[in-house]
Amino acid sequence: MAVWSRRLLYVGRDYLGLASPSVRTLSNNLSEVGKLEAPKLGGNYDTGQMFLHKVFGYRGVILFPWLARVYDRDLPNKKDSSTKAIDTDTPPFSAPVGGPAKEIKGRTHTYYQVLIDGRDCPYITHRAQTESVTFLGNHSENTRNLYAIPGLDYVAHEDILPYSTQETNPLQHELFDKFLLHSEGHDPPFVAQDTLRAWQEKNHPWLELSDVHKETTENIRVTVIPFYMGFRENQQNNVYWWRYCIRLENLGEATVQLRERNWRIFSLSGTLETVRGRGVVGQEPILSRDQPAFQYSSHVSLQAPSGHMWGTFRMEREDGYAFDCRIPPFSLESKQEEPKDTDSSDH
């Protein structure tokens, strides 16, 4: 049986493929979690599969898969990734910012909707907050209403470290018992209840993960996943909202710190907005060998049903060397489905 630290569930860099020291823990207080299983190289994980997150270390359970289109700018433009000038004033969405006009083809990849174990949330220090799915609900409701479903996350197939457990209730989340039922003899031993299927169908417009965008600059990889949240009506026009989740990963050896953000936001209505500021979500995260990743979510609104965003992060190494890390351009697209009422708590 594998034992894992109750605190932070820290995963060594060998799991990240960045180095090969042994798995380390941040506490001497160990508790038995379960038995690690071999990661699946082919096929999807099933609903009810328990896992450890390879990057952030938390315990979780898989609810269902999403088949996303991944636009990875490193694949067709690897040789240009560190040499091309960055032009943040021109938004060629089909090409890297400042790069040649090449169309980036999306490749399908499996991500999973998961529940996070609430016991681990306080120790996930290299994320700005515990992830929530946020949305506006029915557009006829009060414009100040923002709904949130806490403890939900989206995890790429390769970030799943599956394990098995003998516990009948191995994860602490208020939706675990509502969505999953323990089934003796079943593998994995947790099966979907009808409530999970109904919840997935009802909230599909706000949950759906469709596009993922990636780009690497000087060993700093930026991944962006946008989500449509819904729209609100006002006296003049509709206001459309999106959430975007960003992960930064340090693939190199040198410690770097995010100092500034520089966004360009284009709306189909014809407006182009520039947003600059220190850090992200009030932090200036450090990406080191010990904690090479940082993730956060933010929101953006447009007075048009679509648009796109791109920009740069200003990064600084310990020796004072600074560089602009590209944020891959990503589109903001609204959905045609009529928003539905949802049963969730106010944020």
Side-chain angles (χ1 to χ4, degrees), residues 265-273 302-308:
I265 306 169
F266 176 77
S267 170
L268 190 64
S269 63
T271 62
L272 180 60
E273 181 182 3
L302 299 177
Q303 294 186 8
S306 66
H308 58 268

Side-chain angles (χ1 to χ4, degrees), residues 112-123:
Y112 298 96
Q113 192 89 66
V114 308
L115 295 180
I116 301 173
D117 194 315
R119 294 169 292 185
D120 300 332
C121 292
Y123 306 110

Side-chain angles (χ1 to χ4, degrees), residues 239-301:
V239 179
Y240 299 82
W241 285 86
W242 291 264
R243 176 174 70 95
Y244 56 92
C245 179
I246 291 187
R247 183 198 292 188
L248 296 100
E249 294 175 88
N250 186 352
L251 306 180
E253 300 297 318
T255 297
V256 298
Q257 185 169 12
L258 191 157
R259 292 297 192 183
E260 300 174 2
R261 68 188 185 278
N262 180 5
W263 282 106
R264 305 281 280 175
I265 306 169
F266 176 77
S267 170
L268 190 64
S269 63
T271 62
L272 180 60
E273 181 182 3
T274 298
V275 177
R276 294 186 176 94
R278 296 290 296 180
V280 290
V281 292
Q283 300 187 44
E284 296 181 23
I286 296 174
L287 307 179
S288 64
R289 281 181 55 83
D290 289 336
Q291 291 193 351
F294 181 81
Q295 184 169 308
Y296 74 96
S297 291
S298 192
H299 303 88
V300 63
S301 64

Side-chain angles (χ1 to χ4, degrees), residues 143-157:
T143 58
R144 292 173 296 177
N145 284 354
L146 175 66
Y147 296 99
I149 308 172
L152 275 180
D153 203 1
Y154 297 82
V155 183
H157 183 89

Side-chain angles (χ1 to χ4, degrees), residues 152-167:
L152 275 180
D153 203 1
Y154 297 82
V155 183
H157 183 89
E158 64 272 16
D159 286 341
I160 298 287
L161 294 175
Y163 73 89
S164 59
T165 178
Q166 300 301 315
E167 296 182 54

